[in-house]
Amino acid sequence: MSALVTAAPAVTLRNAPLHAFDGAIAAARTCYSPRVITTAEVTERQRDTIGALTFEGGHHTVFQHAHFEFGLENISRQFVWSVLHSYPFYNSEQSSQRYVKLKEPRAFVPPIAGEALLIFEQAIVRAWDAYAELSAVLKDDAFAILKELRYVTPRASAERLKGIEREAEKKAIETARYVIPIAAFTSMVHTISGITLHRLRRMAAAGDTPYEARLVIGQMVDLVRGIDPLFFEKVGCEELEAEDLPEAAIPRPVGGGDAFAAAFDARLCGRVSALVDWSDRAERVIADAVRTTFGLSPDEMPDAEAIDRVLNPARNRYRLDVMNVSYHSPLMRALHHASYTFAKRLSHTADSQDQRHRMVPAARPMMTFADTDAPDFVTPRLIAANPRAREIYAEAMADAWTAKARLLQLGVPLEFALYVLPNAKALRMIESGPLMALLHKWTLRTCFNAQEEIFLASMDEIAQVRERHPQIAGYIGPPCVVRNGLISPRCTEGSHFCGVPVWRSFPDVERRL
């Protein structure tokens, strides 16, 4: 059994403007000037008057020009999910558990002591042991499936087999990571604007990780203060106290979250994602928007023609572009006006990827409210198909919830006890988006290389859209389907091509891995 490695959160400021506050004042002055005002022209009096006047008046865009690029290490996956990626206004490049093998137990440890600390550390280490065992067990299954998908014959070269074996190992650790606790460390490059940093400071007590949030956000603020003290001395709002948050006044679920979880899952009717609301006249609305953009009447451009113009990749070359230029296209902005809402159930690890689609926001659960007494988790299909893997997995899930329950018995706050729960923890949410954003998401996430749960959710979603709006759904699919016969290469994944000719039969295709 390995020893748990932990450390305090480490924050570095990689890039930042030297005169962020003066830049905001200069931007504000430019609004009332026939030319661009420079930071060198800002006076002390203007710092005292214009800064407060703009900030307190709600004219916060001037504080958005300054961007701060942070390096974040020794932070938990739970904190990232609950705080850093829970809103749209950021950019992150994060270390991946899907492709990076976790060789030693490294995790955030909250301020607990005595028996509680021992239980916490043992739970983390046991989960890592289960991860190592699952990785080994699942590798052979993944290897066997990949050999079939790659049409490997007995005459295959050793070099080719070695390459497929490496791919199988990646698939195994991608699945085994479901047992890793959400306390696990991650690292990232994280860039935000100045006004976002002010808001993070204001809202540090919100979410499920107020203790860790204060540690990390406090360091971020201090680093910016170090290069430009005025950015927080001249303007800003103090952190809201936990008891002053509107969320604090919400009543607790009677009997815990188990009853809610069961009722929510029943609504899904066996799906990962269930359509619960939509623009009933989506096809007509999109057609009207296209016609309005170009000043055309229905006689000049019927609905079917308008929809084909905006969605058919053979006529709209933007859909073949490797960059998502949709928001810059007068034509494609017509897709803003149809929207869809889904109820969905994903694991913590899958939702951590799903929430990166920031233009498709969700009402995600506060785990400190929606916690369940009983183990509540998602099981990947590769694990479900292997009896030994199922046994290891079930034991790991039981261990995690037993540890959480014991921590609560010892008086550990739920905020801290939740850290021992696994990536597999089930989360339930309501997610909505305009077709513009969903089209981009569905194109990426119906690819066989997409994370399994998000792939399954996306397939559920487009199947239900197809029932209501077949003209729209007929143009939805992964890159190889959208690009088929129109542009080369058909697959945009290069050497990571899944090996399956999905374009031949989408959406009636089977994903085995």
Side-chain angles (χ1 to χ4, degrees):
M1 181 178 286
S2 304
L4 174 62
V5 176
T6 190
V11 181
T12 54
L13 185 58
R14 291 162 49 96
N15 280 300
L18 293 177
H19 306 290
F21 185 71
D22 282 358
I25 303 306
R29 283 188 58 196
T30 297
C31 295
Y32 299 94
S33 170
R35 62 182 178 82
V36 173
I37 304 299
T38 68
T39 56
E41 297 175 76
V42 174
T43 67
E44 189 61 37
R45 182 174 178 275
Q46 290 165 352
R47 294 185 185 106
D48 289 335
T49 57
I50 296 176
L53 183 66
T54 53
F55 193 93
E56 293 169 12
H59 305 296
H60 295 148
T61 55
V62 298
F63 299 97
Q64 194 171 334
H65 295 289
H67 275 69
F68 303 101
E69 180 186 317
F70 296 99
L72 306 179
E73 298 177 278
N74 303 337
I75 59 174
S76 75
R77 296 262 168 180
Q78 169 72 337
F79 165 63
V80 173
W81 173 82
S82 179
V83 178
L84 294 184
H85 289 172
S86 63
Y87 67 101
F89 312 115
Y90 68 88
N91 188 43
S92 285
E93 308 305 328
Q94 182 180 1
S95 178
S96 172
Q97 287 184 343
R98 292 182 72 189
Y99 308 118
V100 179
K101 190 171 185 178
L102 306 175
K103 297 179 180 179
E104 60 180 354
R106 301 179 68 251
F108 177 80
V109 177
I112 54 179
E115 183 184 352
L117 178 59
L118 180 62
I119 289 171
F120 188 97
E121 291 178 339
Q122 288 177 344
I124 302 295
V125 171
R126 282 199 304 272
W128 240 271
D129 290 342
Y131 166 80
E133 191 173 1
L134 273 175
S135 297
V137 169
L138 295 172
K139 180 180 174 181
D140 287 344
D141 289 359
F143 189 44
I145 294 171
L146 286 170
K147 284 196 294 185
E148 290 183 32
L149 294 176
R150 303 292 184 268
Y151 302 103
V152 173
T153 67
R155 293 181 296 177
S157 68
E159 184 179 356
R160 187 178 181 215
L161 285 173
K162 189 173 181 180
I164 295 173
E165 187 177 8
R166 284 195 298 268
E167 188 179 352
E169 183 177 13
K170 289 181 179 179
K171 292 293 185 183
I173 66 171
E174 177 182 349
T175 305
R177 83 185 193 281
Y178 273 68
V179 302
I180 293 292
I182 58 179
F185 276 160
T186 188
S187 55
M188 64 171 62
V189 175
H190 190 70
T191 302
I192 55 176
S193 73
I195 191 59
T196 294
L197 183 55
H198 273 284
R199 289 169 178 158
L200 283 176
R201 179 191 181 214
R202 177 76 164 156
M203 296 293 288
D208 285 321
T209 60
Y211 175 81
E212 189 178 357
R214 289 189 183 103
L215 291 178
V216 178
I217 296 168
Q219 289 189 56
M220 294 163 75
V221 169
D222 287 345
L223 286 167
V224 171
R225 273 200 180 112
I227 61 167
D228 190 352
L230 300 180
F231 201 75
F232 283 94
E233 289 177 6
K234 293 290 186 181
V235 296
C237 298
E238 294 301 316
E239 177 190 332
L240 286 168
E241 296 298 328
E243 59 269 20
D244 294 331
L245 297 170
E247 289 85 353
I250 302 295
R252 293 273 166 184
V254 177
D258 298 75
F260 171 81
F264 189 100
D265 292 353
R267 290 168 55 197
L268 296 179
C269 299
R271 296 187 178 95
V272 179
S273 184
L275 182 64
V276 295
D277 196 21
W278 58 92
S279 300
D280 191 50
R281 299 175 65 250
E283 292 169 338
R284 169 57 62 87
V285 168
I286 290 171
D288 278 344
V290 171
R291 288 190 289 261
T292 298
T293 301
F294 298 100
L296 297 169
S297 69
D299 289 338
E300 293 169 311
M301 182 173 283
D303 288 2
E305 171 72 5
I307 292 170
D308 192 65
R309 288 276 186 179
V310 70
L311 286 174
N312 186 346
R315 304 180 79 179
N316 179 1
R317 306 291 289 186
Y318 295 136
R319 295 212 57 206
L320 305 178
D321 204 310
V322 293
M323 295 183 69
N324 180 17
V325 298
S326 302
Y327 293 90
H328 301 270
S329 162
L331 171 63
M332 294 201 71
R333 285 195 285 264
L335 301 180
H336 272 305
H337 307 292
S339 62
Y340 300 90
T341 299
F342 300 92
K344 61 200 305 179
R345 176 180 182 268
L346 294 173
S347 70
H348 194 290
T349 193
D351 191 49
S352 292
Q353 292 184 45
D354 193 52
Q355 70 180 174
R356 297 300 301 277
H357 291 277
R358 286 159 281 182
M359 302 308 290
V360 186
R364 290 183 162 84
M366 288 195 69
M367 290 176 63
T368 44
F369 278 75
D371 181 52
T372 61
D373 293 331
D376 177 35
F377 55 89
V378 173
T379 303
R381 295 182 301 174
L382 195 61
I383 290 175
N386 183 303
R388 177 57 187 150
R390 287 201 310 271
E391 183 182 343
I392 298 167
Y393 195 69
E395 185 177 343
M397 297 299 107
D399 276 352
W401 262 268
T402 299
K404 184 205 71 172
R406 181 57 184 152
L407 289 171
L408 294 175
Q409 289 173 356
L410 292 170
V412 171
L414 182 57
E415 171 194 351
F416 298 154
L418 288 172
Y419 278 105
V420 301
L421 293 185
N423 279 332
K425 170 72 179 93
L427 303 174
R428 296 161 182 86
M429 66 207 72
I430 302 295
E431 185 176 270
S432 297
L435 182 58
M436 169 84 87
L438 286 166
L439 183 65
H440 175 66
K441 179 181 179 181
W442 289 331
T443 301
L444 295 178
R445 298 302 185 172
T446 54
C447 170
F448 274 26
N449 283 339
Q451 200 274 352
E452 178 183 271
E453 289 181 69
I454 305 177
F455 168 84
L456 295 173
S458 296
M459 295 298 288
D460 275 349
E461 288 161 7
I462 62 176
Q464 293 166 89
V465 169
R466 186 178 298 107
E467 292 174 3
R468 290 158 180 83
H469 301 137
Q471 284 183 283
I472 292 173
Y475 300 103
I476 299 173
C480 65
V481 171
V482 173
R483 298 163 65 90
N484 185 38
L486 298 173
I487 194 170
S488 182
R490 181 188 286 116
C491 173
T492 56
E493 293 290 302
S495 62
H496 297 293
F497 170 51
C498 69
V500 180
V502 175
W503 58 90
R504 292 180 182 169
S505 55
F506 186 85
D508 300 319
V509 293
E510 178 190 10
R511 174 174 166 171
R512 297 182 58 196
L513 196 59

